């Protein structure tokens, strides 16, 4: 499907549709974030976004608002309209039935149930179809959904809160708090956007975090995932006592009596997964497993051991690095503990997406070059 005709106006309306789509970023998963704007000439006659799986898609909200004004109108949609009947009816059919004459789409839906069929259906009905307007931004907005469908793994953001000398905890393990309130508020937003927040058992044993979203209490809570090969976790920790979010403990243990340790807690489940050659959880086999459980966007908030293992295994798409103006000195807790890399002086695969002041701290967002290539995105993709 190629763009037939597109101009600044198309980009302007599509940008509005993307802004609408972004409003669903705390609630739509496992579904994608989608926005729709319907125009008659210079006038917007309908607009909407997908709010939640099982509820109407963006096109349906916009069509309902447009009513009879949809006849002969142009629809801007951030993702190819669906052609199948899922929990809601097919949107391509709804656009045809409403008499829409032109449909501009940001990107094709990689979901095998749609994948070009929605666009074909519209064209067969005689509708003028344009695809690929602001595709870069549309892909970046749905990185979690796309990663799950196209790569069978979550899109992984690894968050680090570190001092100026790159340390993430004092030698006694204390890390609360290295960064300031603004950075910590920002992490709450990252958690709220994520399907899951994953950490290593040492962080749970040392910090006893809740790993939930407290700043926006009405929002859906992400799944908490704890990697605990030997099942060292016991019921007194907050990831168990706090039932506001579900907790999934991944372990290599298989004995039924161990796996039943948290049976009394309905929000806690334990899953036995394969071990790697060192007896830790096999991270390469974990990612597909999480994608199959509907995890798209995932935030990692772990210590240097798990962070380093994930970077070494090339399982991280973005590093979100909060740096505080503090010098912690000779602690044993650097952010990463990686083998020496002399090539790093010539080339870094980590591309700087943005650098933002967060009160006294600074936040870097870095994207791995392979992830940028896969997303087919430039670094200028902020909605
Ligand atoms: N400032 C920050 O941003 C931040 C964030 C989080 C934590 N921290 C600090 O980090 C410290 C803990 O760091 P840490 O490095 O000891 O712990 P960690 O990275 O949180 O957890 C490491 C543990 O995860 C388990 N694990 C399971 N599968 C693994 C795999 N494939 N590869 C690696 N680990 C795997 C391992 O234990 P088993 O194999 O026995 O399960 C391993 O010992 C704490 O002091 C905490 O305060 C700082």
């Amino acid at each position: 499907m190629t763009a037939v005709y597109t101009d600044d106006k198309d980009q302007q309306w599509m940008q509005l549709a993307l802004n609408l789509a972004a409003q669903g970023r705390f609630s739509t998963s496992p579904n994608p974030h989608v926005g729709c704007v319907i125009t008659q000439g210079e006038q917007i006659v309908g607009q909407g976004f997908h709010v939640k799986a099982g509820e109407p898609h963006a096109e349906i909200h916009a069509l309902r608002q447009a009513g009879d004004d949809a006849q002969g109108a142009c629809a801007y949609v951030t993702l190819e309209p669906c052609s199948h009947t899922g929990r809601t009816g097919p949107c391509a059919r709804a656009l045809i039935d409403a008499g829409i004459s032109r449909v501009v789409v940001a990107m094709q839906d990689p979901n095998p149930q749609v994948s070009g069929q929605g666009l074909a259906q519209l064209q067969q009905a005689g509708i003028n179809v344009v695809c690929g307007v602001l595709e870069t931004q549309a892909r970046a907005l749905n990185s979690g959904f796309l990663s799950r469908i196209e790569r069978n793994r979550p899109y992984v953001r690894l968050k680090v809160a570190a001092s100026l000398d790159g340390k993430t905890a004092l030698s006694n393990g204390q890390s609360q708090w290295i960064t300031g309130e603004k950075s910590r508020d920002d992490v709450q937003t990252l958690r709220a956007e994520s399907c899951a927040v994953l950490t290593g058992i040492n962080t749970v044993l040392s910090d006893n975090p809740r790993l939930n979203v407290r700043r926006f209490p009405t929002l859906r809570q992400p799944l908490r995932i704890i990697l605990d090969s030997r099942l060292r976790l016991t019921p007194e920790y907050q990831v168990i006592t706090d039932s506001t979010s579900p907790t999934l403990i991944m372990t290599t243990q298989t004995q039924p009596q161990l796996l039943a340790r948290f049976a009394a807690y309905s929000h806690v489940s334990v899953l036995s997964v394969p071990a790697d050659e060192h007896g830790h959880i096999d991270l390469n086999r974990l990612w597909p497993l999480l994608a199959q459980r509907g995890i798209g966007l995932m935030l990692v908030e772990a210590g240097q051991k798990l962070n380093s293992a994930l970077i070494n295994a090339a399982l991280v798409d973005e590093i979100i690095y909060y740096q505080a103006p503090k010098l912690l000195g000779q602690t044993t807790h650097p952010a990463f503990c990686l083998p020496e890399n002399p090539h790093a002086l010539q080339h870094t695969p980590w591309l700087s997406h943005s650098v933002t002041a967060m009160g006294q701290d600074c936040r870097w967002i870095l994207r791995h070059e392979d992830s940028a290539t896969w997303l087919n995105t430039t670094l200028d993709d902020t909605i």
Side-chain angles (χ1 to χ4, degrees), residues 221-244:
Q221 292 286 339
L223 171 69
R224 299 179 285 213
I225 304 176
I226 321 294
L227 301 196
D228 183 6
S229 317
R230 290 173 281 160
L231 211 48
R232 289 182 278 151
L233 189 61
T234 45
E236 66 272 22
Y237 288 91
Q238 294 197 91
V239 288
I240 306 294
T241 56
D242 165 56
S243 59
T244 53

PDB file of all heavy atoms in Angstrom, residues 221-244:
ATOM      1  N   GLN A 221      -2.723  -1.135  37.448  1.00  0.00           N
ATOM      2  CA  GLN A 221      -1.388  -1.411  37.996  1.00  0.00           C
ATOM      3  C   GLN A 221      -0.653  -2.399  37.091  1.00  0.00           C
ATOM      4  O   GLN A 221      -1.259  -3.348  36.599  1.00  0.00           O
ATOM      5  CB  GLN A 221      -1.523  -2.028  39.390  1.00  0.00           C
ATOM      6  CG  GLN A 221      -2.073  -1.095  40.446  1.00  0.00           C
ATOM      7  CD  GLN A 221      -1.056  -0.037  40.889  1.00  0.00           C
ATOM      8  OE1 GLN A 221       0.154  -0.204  40.728  1.00  0.00           O
ATOM      9  NE2 GLN A 221      -1.554   1.056  41.459  1.00  0.00           N
ATOM     10  N   PRO A 222       0.652  -2.176  36.864  1.00  0.00           N
ATOM     11  CA  PRO A 222       1.406  -3.159  36.073  1.00  0.00           C
ATOM     12  C   PRO A 222       1.630  -4.450  36.867  1.00  0.00           C
ATOM     13  O   PRO A 222       1.624  -4.438  38.100  1.00  0.00           O
ATOM     14  CB  PRO A 222       2.738  -2.444  35.819  1.00  0.00           C
ATOM     15  CG  PRO A 222       2.868  -1.455  36.933  1.00  0.00           C
ATOM     16  CD  PRO A 222       1.480  -1.065  37.347  1.00  0.00           C
ATOM     17  N   LEU A 223       1.846  -5.530  36.126  1.00  0.00           N
ATOM     18  CA  LEU A 223       2.190  -6.803  36.755  1.00  0.00           C
ATOM     19  C   LEU A 223       3.605  -6.681  37.327  1.00  0.00           C
ATOM     20  O   LEU A 223       4.499  -6.175  36.654  1.00  0.00           O
ATOM     21  CB  LEU A 223       2.144  -7.902  35.676  1.00  0.00           C
ATOM     22  CG  LEU A 223       2.666  -9.277  36.060  1.00  0.00           C
ATOM     23  CD1 LEU A 223       1.737  -9.942  37.071  1.00  0.00           C
ATOM     24  CD2 LEU A 223       2.788 -10.170  34.808  1.00  0.00           C
ATOM     25  N   ARG A 224       3.816  -7.141  38.573  1.00  0.00           N
ATOM     26  CA  ARG A 224       5.170  -7.147  39.147  1.00  0.00           C
ATOM     27  C   ARG A 224       5.775  -8.512  38.865  1.00  0.00           C
ATOM     28  O   ARG A 224       5.166  -9.534  39.180  1.00  0.00           O
ATOM     29  CB  ARG A 224       5.091  -6.934  40.666  1.00  0.00           C
ATOM     30  CG  ARG A 224       4.469  -5.621  41.035  1.00  0.00           C
ATOM     31  CD  ARG A 224       4.394  -5.451  42.539  1.00  0.00           C
ATOM     32  NE  ARG A 224       3.349  -6.243  43.159  1.00  0.00           N
ATOM     33  CZ  ARG A 224       2.668  -5.869  44.239  1.00  0.00           C
ATOM     34  NH1 ARG A 224       2.931  -4.727  44.836  1.00  0.00           N
ATOM     35  NH2 ARG A 224       1.721  -6.640  44.751  1.00  0.00           N
ATOM     36  N   ILE A 225       6.967  -8.525  38.283  1.00  0.00           N
ATOM     37  CA  ILE A 225       7.632  -9.810  37.980  1.00  0.00           C
ATOM     38  C   ILE A 225       8.950  -9.865  38.748  1.00  0.00           C
ATOM     39  O   ILE A 225       9.777  -8.957  38.635  1.00  0.00           O
ATOM     40  CB  ILE A 225       7.911  -9.961  36.472  1.00  0.00           C
ATOM     41  CG1 ILE A 225       6.608  -9.817  35.668  1.00  0.00           C
ATOM     42  CG2 ILE A 225       8.577 -11.301  36.173  1.00  0.00           C
ATOM     43  CD1 ILE A 225       6.808  -9.862  34.155  1.00  0.00           C
ATOM     44  N   ILE A 226       9.126 -10.914  39.537  1.00  0.00           N
ATOM     45  CA  ILE A 226      10.356 -11.076  40.323  1.00  0.00           C
ATOM     46  C   ILE A 226      11.107 -12.291  39.797  1.00  0.00           C
ATOM     47  O   ILE A 226      10.540 -13.385  39.740  1.00  0.00           O
ATOM     48  CB  ILE A 226      10.044 -11.345  41.830  1.00  0.00           C
ATOM     49  CG1 ILE A 226       8.854 -10.515  42.353  1.00  0.00           C
ATOM     50  CG2 ILE A 226      11.292 -11.174  42.690  1.00  0.00           C
ATOM     51  CD1 ILE A 226       9.038  -9.059  42.404  1.00  0.00           C
ATOM     52  N   LEU A 227      12.372 -12.087  39.402  1.00  0.00           N
ATOM     53  CA  LEU A 227      13.191 -13.226  38.981  1.00  0.00           C
ATOM     54  C   LEU A 227      13.908 -13.780  40.215  1.00  0.00           C
ATOM     55  O   LEU A 227      14.759 -13.108  40.815  1.00  0.00           O
ATOM     56  CB  LEU A 227      14.209 -12.817  37.910  1.00  0.00           C
ATOM     57  CG  LEU A 227      13.638 -12.213  36.622  1.00  0.00           C
ATOM     58  CD1 LEU A 227      14.691 -12.232  35.520  1.00  0.00           C
ATOM     59  CD2 LEU A 227      12.374 -12.937  36.156  1.00  0.00           C
ATOM     60  N   ASP A 228      13.536 -14.978  40.603  1.00  0.00           N
ATOM     61  CA  ASP A 228      14.003 -15.558  41.863  1.00  0.00           C
ATOM     62  C   ASP A 228      14.294 -17.042  41.623  1.00  0.00           C
ATOM     63  O   ASP A 228      13.502 -17.919  41.997  1.00  0.00           O
ATOM     64  CB  ASP A 228      12.885 -15.354  42.917  1.00  0.00           C
ATOM     65  CG  ASP A 228      13.279 -15.842  44.289  1.00  0.00           C
ATOM     66  OD1 ASP A 228      14.448 -16.243  44.474  1.00  0.00           O
ATOM     67  OD2 ASP A 228      12.411 -15.830  45.180  1.00  0.00           O
ATOM     68  N   SER A 229      15.450 -17.331  41.001  1.00  0.00           N
ATOM     69  CA  SER A 229      15.763 -18.709  40.580  1.00  0.00           C
ATOM     70  C   SER A 229      15.577 -19.715  41.712  1.00  0.00           C
ATOM     71  O   SER A 229      14.998 -20.774  41.520  1.00  0.00           O
ATOM     72  CB  SER A 229      17.203 -18.802  40.076  1.00  0.00           C
ATOM     73  OG  SER A 229      17.514 -17.711  39.263  1.00  0.00           O
ATOM     74  N   ARG A 230      16.096 -19.351  42.897  1.00  0.00           N
ATOM     75  CA  ARG A 230      16.088 -20.337  43.986  1.00  0.00           C
ATOM     76  C   ARG A 230      14.888 -20.211  44.919  1.00  0.00           C
ATOM     77  O   ARG A 230      14.818 -20.857  45.943  1.00  0.00           O
ATOM     78  CB  ARG A 230      17.395 -20.220  44.781  1.00  0.00           C
ATOM     79  CG  ARG A 230      18.601 -20.709  43.987  1.00  0.00           C
ATOM     80  CD  ARG A 230      19.894 -20.429  44.695  1.00  0.00           C
ATOM     81  NE  ARG A 230      20.321 -19.039  44.530  1.00  0.00           N
ATOM     82  CZ  ARG A 230      21.185 -18.414  45.321  1.00  0.00           C
ATOM     83  NH1 ARG A 230      21.708 -19.050  46.348  1.00  0.00           N
ATOM     84  NH2 ARG A 230      21.526 -17.155  45.088  1.00  0.00           N
ATOM     85  N   LEU A 231      13.969 -19.337  44.588  1.00  0.00           N
ATOM     86  CA  LEU A 231      12.770 -19.051  45.382  1.00  0.00           C
ATOM     87  C   LEU A 231      13.129 -18.705  46.837  1.00  0.00           C
ATOM     88  O   LEU A 231      12.748 -19.377  47.793  1.00  0.00           O
ATOM     89  CB  LEU A 231      11.779 -20.230  45.326  1.00  0.00           C
ATOM     90  CG  LEU A 231      10.307 -19.849  45.436  1.00  0.00           C
ATOM     91  CD1 LEU A 231       9.910 -18.715  44.511  1.00  0.00           C
ATOM     92  CD2 LEU A 231       9.417 -21.036  45.146  1.00  0.00           C
ATOM     93  N   ARG A 232      13.890 -17.616  46.942  1.00  0.00           N
ATOM     94  CA  ARG A 232      14.300 -17.135  48.265  1.00  0.00           C
ATOM     95  C   ARG A 232      13.270 -16.190  48.887  1.00  0.00           C
ATOM     96  O   ARG A 232      13.363 -15.816  50.040  1.00  0.00           O
ATOM     97  CB  ARG A 232      15.649 -16.403  48.149  1.00  0.00           C
ATOM     98  CG  ARG A 232      16.815 -17.339  47.880  1.00  0.00           C
ATOM     99  CD  ARG A 232      18.128 -16.596  47.819  1.00  0.00           C
ATOM    100  NE  ARG A 232      18.389 -15.973  46.540  1.00  0.00           N
ATOM    101  CZ  ARG A 232      19.125 -14.877  46.371  1.00  0.00           C
ATOM    102  NH1 ARG A 232      19.652 -14.267  47.412  1.00  0.00           N
ATOM    103  NH2 ARG A 232      19.342 -14.393  45.164  1.00  0.00           N
ATOM    104  N   LEU A 233      12.304 -15.749  48.106  1.00  0.00           N
ATOM    105  CA  LEU A 233      11.313 -14.783  48.597  1.00  0.00           C
ATOM    106  C   LEU A 233      10.423 -15.434  49.661  1.00  0.00           C
ATOM    107  O   LEU A 233      10.064 -16.602  49.549  1.00  0.00           O
ATOM    108  CB  LEU A 233      10.455 -14.303  47.411  1.00  0.00           C
ATOM    109  CG  LEU A 233       9.507 -13.151  47.677  1.00  0.00           C
ATOM    110  CD1 LEU A 233      10.251 -11.884  48.101  1.00  0.00           C
ATOM    111  CD2 LEU A 233       8.664 -12.840  46.430  1.00  0.00           C
ATOM    112  N   THR A 234      10.097 -14.635  50.679  1.00  0.00           N
ATOM    113  CA  THR A 234       9.201 -15.126  51.740  1.00  0.00           C
ATOM    114  C   THR A 234       8.023 -14.146  51.871  1.00  0.00           C
ATOM    115  O   THR A 234       8.105 -13.010  51.391  1.00  0.00           O
ATOM    116  CB  THR A 234       9.972 -15.260  53.079  1.00  0.00           C
ATOM    117  OG1 THR A 234      10.764 -14.071  53.251  1.00  0.00           O
ATOM    118  CG2 THR A 234      10.874 -16.478  53.089  1.00  0.00           C
ATOM    119  N   PRO A 235       6.924 -14.573  52.521  1.00  0.00           N
ATOM    120  CA  PRO A 235       5.680 -13.796  52.447  1.00  0.00           C
ATOM    121  C   PRO A 235       5.686 -12.412  53.095  1.00  0.00           C
ATOM    122  O   PRO A 235       4.749 -11.654  52.868  1.00  0.00           O
ATOM    123  CB  PRO A 235       4.658 -14.690  53.158  1.00  0.00           C
ATOM    124  CG  PRO A 235       5.224 -16.049  53.105  1.00  0.00           C
ATOM    125  CD  PRO A 235       6.706 -15.886  53.145  1.00  0.00           C
ATOM    126  N   GLU A 236       6.690 -12.044  53.877  1.00  0.00           N
ATOM    127  CA  GLU A 236       6.601 -10.748  54.567  1.00  0.00           C
ATOM    128  C   GLU A 236       6.954  -9.545  53.685  1.00  0.00           C
ATOM    129  O   GLU A 236       6.769  -8.396  54.084  1.00  0.00           O
ATOM    130  CB  GLU A 236       7.454 -10.737  55.851  1.00  0.00           C
ATOM    131  CG  GLU A 236       8.962 -10.840  55.668  1.00  0.00           C
ATOM    132  CD  GLU A 236       9.457 -12.278  55.607  1.00  0.00           C
ATOM    133  OE1 GLU A 236       8.659 -13.172  55.298  1.00  0.00           O
ATOM    134  OE2 GLU A 236      10.665 -12.483  55.826  1.00  0.00           O
ATOM    135  N   TYR A 237       7.446  -9.780  52.468  1.00  0.00           N
ATOM    136  CA  TYR A 237       7.843  -8.657  51.604  1.00  0.00           C
ATOM    137  C   TYR A 237       6.626  -7.995  50.965  1.00  0.00           C
ATOM    138  O   TYR A 237       5.595  -8.630  50.746  1.00  0.00           O
ATOM    139  CB  TYR A 237       8.854  -9.142  50.547  1.00  0.00           C
ATOM    140  CG  TYR A 237      10.191  -9.422  51.189  1.00  0.00           C
ATOM    141  CD1 TYR A 237      10.490 -10.691  51.681  1.00  0.00           C
ATOM    142  CD2 TYR A 237      11.119  -8.403  51.360  1.00  0.00           C
ATOM    143  CE1 TYR A 237      11.691 -10.942  52.319  1.00  0.00           C
ATOM    144  CE2 TYR A 237      12.328  -8.643  51.997  1.00  0.00           C
ATOM    145  CZ  TYR A 237      12.603  -9.908  52.480  1.00  0.00           C
ATOM    146  OH  TYR A 237      13.795 -10.152  53.131  1.00  0.00           O
ATOM    147  N   GLN A 238       6.773  -6.676  50.661  1.00  0.00           N
ATOM    148  CA  GLN A 238       5.620  -5.894  50.203  1.00  0.00           C
ATOM    149  C   GLN A 238       5.056  -6.364  48.856  1.00  0.00           C
ATOM    150  O   GLN A 238       3.867  -6.189  48.611  1.00  0.00           O
ATOM    151  CB  GLN A 238       5.999  -4.416  50.094  1.00  0.00           C
ATOM    152  CG  GLN A 238       6.303  -3.790  51.453  1.00  0.00           C
ATOM    153  CD  GLN A 238       6.267  -2.290  51.394  1.00  0.00           C
ATOM    154  OE1 GLN A 238       5.245  -1.669  51.623  1.00  0.00           O
ATOM    155  NE2 GLN A 238       7.391  -1.684  51.074  1.00  0.00           N
ATOM    156  N   VAL A 239       5.893  -6.968  48.008  1.00  0.00           N
ATOM    157  CA  VAL A 239       5.349  -7.468  46.734  1.00  0.00           C
ATOM    158  C   VAL A 239       4.346  -8.605  46.980  1.00  0.00           C
ATOM    159  O   VAL A 239       3.570  -8.959  46.100  1.00  0.00           O
ATOM    160  CB  VAL A 239       6.466  -7.939  45.758  1.00  0.00           C
ATOM    161  CG1 VAL A 239       7.219  -6.755  45.192  1.00  0.00           C
ATOM    162  CG2 VAL A 239       7.394  -8.937  46.425  1.00  0.00           C
ATOM    163  N   ILE A 240       4.388  -9.150  48.220  1.00  0.00           N
ATOM    164  CA  ILE A 240       3.419 -10.198  48.592  1.00  0.00           C
ATOM    165  C   ILE A 240       2.305  -9.587  49.469  1.00  0.00           C
ATOM    166  O   ILE A 240       1.126  -9.811  49.226  1.00  0.00           O
ATOM    167  CB  ILE A 240       4.115 -11.352  49.376  1.00  0.00           C
ATOM    168  CG1 ILE A 240       5.320 -11.898  48.587  1.00  0.00           C
ATOM    169  CG2 ILE A 240       3.111 -12.449  49.741  1.00  0.00           C
ATOM    170  CD1 ILE A 240       4.996 -12.581  47.294  1.00  0.00           C
ATOM    171  N   THR A 241       2.673  -8.806  50.466  1.00  0.00           N
ATOM    172  CA  THR A 241       1.656  -8.295  51.403  1.00  0.00           C
ATOM    173  C   THR A 241       0.764  -7.236  50.759  1.00  0.00           C
ATOM    174  O   THR A 241      -0.393  -7.086  51.143  1.00  0.00           O
ATOM    175  CB  THR A 241       2.306  -7.680  52.670  1.00  0.00           C
ATOM    176  OG1 THR A 241       3.215  -6.650  52.236  1.00  0.00           O
ATOM    177  CG2 THR A 241       3.055  -8.709  53.486  1.00  0.00           C
ATOM    178  N   ASP A 242       1.285  -6.499  49.784  1.00  0.00           N
ATOM    179  CA  ASP A 242       0.503  -5.456  49.123  1.00  0.00           C
ATOM    180  C   ASP A 242      -0.234  -6.077  47.930  1.00  0.00           C
ATOM    181  O   ASP A 242       0.394  -6.531  46.983  1.00  0.00           O
ATOM    182  CB  ASP A 242       1.458  -4.343  48.662  1.00  0.00           C
ATOM    183  CG  ASP A 242       0.792  -3.413  47.667  1.00  0.00           C
ATOM    184  OD1 ASP A 242      -0.262  -2.869  48.016  1.00  0.00           O
ATOM    185  OD2 ASP A 242       1.313  -3.263  46.548  1.00  0.00           O
ATOM    186  N   SER A 243      -1.555  -6.097  48.008  1.00  0.00           N
ATOM    187  CA  SER A 243      -2.319  -6.801  46.958  1.00  0.00           C
ATOM    188  C   SER A 243      -2.874  -5.852  45.893  1.00  0.00           C
ATOM    189  O   SER A 243      -3.725  -6.244  45.105  1.00  0.00           O
ATOM    190  CB  SER A 243      -3.458  -7.598  47.590  1.00  0.00           C
ATOM    191  OG  SER A 243      -4.294  -6.724  48.305  1.00  0.00           O
ATOM    192  N   THR A 244      -2.389  -4.607  45.856  1.00  0.00           N
ATOM    193  CA  THR A 244      -2.917  -3.660  44.855  1.00  0.00           C
ATOM    194  C   THR A 244      -2.536  -4.053  43.427  1.00  0.00           C
ATOM    195  O   THR A 244      -3.226  -3.697  42.487  1.00  0.00           O
ATOM    196  CB  THR A 244      -2.410  -2.215  45.101  1.00  0.00           C
ATOM    197  OG1 THR A 244      -0.996  -2.261  45.182  1.00  0.00           O
ATOM    198  CG2 THR A 244      -3.007  -1.606  46.349  1.00  0.00           C
TER     199      THR A 244
END
